[in-house]
Amino acid sequence: MRRSLPRQLLLGTLKLLAVLAILLWSLGPIALIVSSSFKPEGEIFAVPPRLTFQPTFQHYVSLWQHWPDFFKALGNSVIITALATVIAVFASLLAGYAYSRFRARWLAGSAFLLIVVRLIPPIVTTLPLFPVANALGLQDTHVLLAVLYATFFVSLGSFVMRAFIDQIPKEMDEAAAVDGAGRLTTLWRIIMPLAAQGMMAVAVFVAVYAWNEFLFAFVFTSTRAKTAPLVLAEVVGSFDGVEWGTLFAAATVQLLPVLLFVWITQKYLVAGLTAGATKG
Amino acid sequence: MRENFLTRFLLVAPTQAMIWAVLVVPSVYLAWLSFHSSSFGADARFVGWENYARILSDGYFWRALGNTAIVVLVVVHLELLLGLGMALLFAQGLPFRRLLIACVLAPYAVSEVAAVVMWRFLFDPDVGHVSYLLNLLGLPGLEWAVTPAHGLVLVSLLSIWMHLPFTFMILYAARLALPGEVYEAAKIDGASVWQTFRNVTLPLLMPAMLMAMLFRLIFAFRLFSEVWLLTGGGPARSTEVVAVYLYLEAFRYNAFGGAAATGWIMVVASLLMAAPYLWRLAKEQRGDA
């Protein structure tokens, strides 16, 4: 069915408009606060938003001066994110390997449990864990948050890893076994390099979650292990309607690293989403 | 054979240990707690269904539940609609597709807190750009800090913005996975664009749509940070959602029993929503073993 030229033009224009609307929706809010964080005080509120302006770092300077806590919290976020990612990736690798290579009733049961616990809302666990964390002296520590974050992604992670390891032929394991390699050696030398893509996918999920998470950080930290989103929320809370610039600077610092990370690792993110979300 | 069992066990042990320590045991303890009266420093006392009865007769609980239901239903359906439209648009083939997808994925990287900063500014009654635009069109802005309904609208917008990338990616991947032949066949049969969509695309995408919807239902139900950071549940507890209600019960009013009951209601509701999916999965797993 050949379409007439005017109709094609109309369709093309509509498509273009739709794409522009999608771009404005997705990037508009981000672009606005990032660019505004470099604008002089007066121009932040200019309507329509100015596209050209003399960039200034005054809001970053004021953030540095008034919120030294924020930069300490960024450090905490880095530590916690790294720790959570390492824990989740390796735990998922091991479990994914077991689920891919072995069959047993109890294994299937434990896999099913992984899916069921994913239905438990995080806020529900804060309640019983709060007194326990206090009793064990884990309240306000980096380790506690890292383990919590990792736990909420080992379930998805195990299934993503299983999907990736399923694609590695079993003969590779067997050949290694014939050469006298133990399970652990096989896993380390053969499986891990071939499943690196899956590990990256899991890492992206966990890292983004751990970097951005608010609820657990809010309940389980107070001073030592406070993360960046928490201090950003404090900036929002202390805010009297004048300091938008400082707020934008803080939001930009919290946001840009993870946005760049997601863009760089987009390939893995997409692969992981499709492998993990559809399977289990 | 014994060595073999040990290997398997050790492989799944780290994951299972975390799951049991953080999720399974605490959930069971929560259930126990929900039948006891307890707060910090006091001994727990068995009270039967009292906590549940108290929650279920609390007007604030029902308001929170109602708010949650409205926001979740609106958010999930709009997301599905928008995500589907975008997936079909992208599947038609667009120039710079990788770049466009990167742009669409951007909100996925944004934290709830940063998103709240953005949307608060856009809808600020005095200086917000969207408020200004609405004014220009003769429309009223969102008085989100004053009018409860407006607060919930802003919460919904924010949630859709943050989670649309997920819904879109699931549907887009599913659409790309459809075989080209069915579209060839539809073309040969002379099906119109609408007919193709109605009779080919929609039924074939249905499983993925249900899956995306289920995931989003369960996750949207947990809604906490957006509300907490935007309205704090106010004014006068009018925009609370269930998770915020639970938090306040536990950590502000020290009513651990009531909070535990709320928590169990949340767990059971989540399980019920996912019941058909779990049922199917359990059957598959049994076939697998």
Side-chain angles (χ1 to χ4, degrees), chain B residues 147-289:
Chain B
T147 315
H150 290 190
L152 292 177
V153 169
L154 193 53
V155 165
S156 306
L157 266 175
L158 185 66
S159 299
I160 295 173
W161 186 77
M162 291 192 64
H163 301 288
L164 193 56
F166 173 82
T167 313
F168 163 74
M169 278 318 299
I170 301 282
L171 296 178
Y172 179 58
R175 169 59 188 83
L176 286 190
L178 296 186
E181 294 95 57
V182 293
Y183 287 96
E184 303 275 326
K187 218 174 180 178
I188 290 167
D189 289 343
S192 70
V193 176
W194 170 249
Q195 281 173 326
T196 313
F197 170 73
R198 180 79 190 71
N199 299 321
V200 179
T201 309
L202 207 55
L204 286 176
L205 278 186
M206 209 34 112
M209 285 170 66
L210 287 176
M211 184 65 82
M213 193 162 154
L214 177 80
F215 270 89
R216 286 296 299 132
L217 260 182
I218 290 164
F219 282 90
F221 186 59
R222 304 171 175 181
L223 180 71
F224 174 83
S225 313
E226 290 93 326
V227 177
W228 183 256
L229 293 164
L230 210 54
T231 69
R237 303 195 70 177
S238 58
T239 57
E240 275 177 25
V241 288
V242 179
V244 171
Y245 177 85
L246 189 161
Y247 178 85
L248 290 176
E249 278 285 301
F251 296 103
R252 183 167 300 168
Y253 306 119
N254 262 332
F256 262 44
T262 312
W264 252 95
I265 293 174
M266 281 184 87
V267 172
V268 171
S270 298
L271 287 173
L272 282 180
M273 281 193 267
Y277 161 75
L278 287 178
W279 184 254
R280 210 198 67 214
L281 212 68
K283 272 210 303 221
E284 264 172 33
Q285 295 267 350
R286 228 172 288 139
D288 233 27

Side-chain angles (χ1 to χ4, degrees), chain A residues 44-57:
Chain A
I44 290 179
F45 309 113
V47 183
R50 298 223 180 109
L51 294 178
T52 54
F53 51 87
Q54 193 67 43
T56 164
F57 285 95

Side-chain angles (χ1 to χ4, degrees), chain A residues 1 3 7 15 18-19 22-23 25-27 29-30 32-33 36 44-49 87-88 91-92 94-95 97-99 102-132 134 147-148 150-155 158-159 162 183 187 204-205 208-209 211-215 218-219 229-230 232-233 236-237 239 244 247-248 251 254-255 258-259 262-263 266-267 269-270 273-274 276-280, chain B residues 3-5 7-12 14-16 18-24 26-27 29-30 33 40 82 86 89-90 92-94 97-114 116-122 124 127-129 132 157 160-162 164-166 169-170 173-174 187 191-193 211 215 218-219 221-222 224-225 228-229 243-244 246-247 250-251 256 259-264 266-267 270-271 274 277-279 281-282 285-286 288-289:
Chain A
M1 200 167 54
R3 293 203 184 101
R7 199 165 159 200
K15 248 196 213 177
V19 170
I22 291 171
L23 286 182
W25 162 265
S26 303
L27 290 184
I30 300 175
L32 187 67
I33 64 143
S36 296
I44 290 179
F45 309 113
V47 183
I87 297 173
S92 304
L94 297 179
Y97 180 67
Y99 292 132
F102 304 110
R103 292 284 173 272
R105 192 168 273 277
W106 66 272
L107 265 181
S110 76
F112 187 65
L113 182 70
L114 281 185
I115 293 169
V116 174
V117 294
R118 241 206 273 174
L119 300 172
I120 300 173
I123 189 148
V124 164
T125 63
T126 60
L127 204 55
L129 286 178
F130 187 73
V132 178
N134 268 330
V147 169
L148 286 175
T151 305
F152 274 85
F153 268 89
V154 285
S155 160
S158 299
F159 287 98
R162 175 191 167 169
R183 280 282 172 202
L187 194 61
V204 179
F205 281 131
V208 172
Y209 172 66
W211 182 261
N212 286 337
E213 204 275 344
F214 177 76
L215 173 62
F218 181 55
V219 174
L230 209 59
L232 182 56
V236 179
F239 168 82
W244 280 107
L247 186 54
F248 290 154
Q254 197 274 328
L255 161 71
V258 64
L259 185 60
V262 162
W263 276 340
Q266 182 182 342
K267 190 175 82 182
L269 178 73
V270 172
L273 260 180
T274 41
T278 43
K279 290 202 95 177
Chain B
E3 186 267 341
N4 210 341
F5 171 79
T7 318
R8 298 173 192 194
F9 180 77
L10 288 178
L11 284 173
V12 294
T15 304
Q16 290 292 325
M18 286 157 78
I19 293 286
W20 280 82
V22 174
L23 291 163
V24 180
S27 300
Y29 175 57
L30 188 77
L33 207 57
F40 283 120
L82 290 170
M86 281 162 64
L89 179 70
F90 275 70
Q92 287 192 345
L94 291 173
R97 205 167 59 179
R98 249 186 83 85
L99 194 68
L100 283 178
I101 290 182
C103 296
V104 171
L105 281 182
Y108 174 80
V110 179
S111 63
E112 287 133 340
V113 190
V116 164
V117 173
M118 293 170 196
W119 287 81
R120 244 183 94 151
F121 178 63
L122 284 173
D124 188 281
V127 297
H129 289 101
Y132 176 83
L157 266 175
I160 295 173
W161 186 77
M162 291 192 64
L164 193 56
F166 173 82
M169 278 318 299
I170 301 282
K187 218 174 180 178
S192 70
V193 176
M211 184 65 82
F215 270 89
I218 290 164
F219 282 90
F221 186 59
R222 304 171 175 181
F224 174 83
S225 313
W228 183 256
L229 293 164
V244 171
L246 189 161
Y247 178 85
F251 296 103
F256 262 44
T262 312
W264 252 95
M266 281 184 87
V267 172
S270 298
L271 287 173
Y277 161 75
L278 287 178
W279 184 254
L281 212 68
Q285 295 267 350
R286 228 172 288 139
D288 233 27

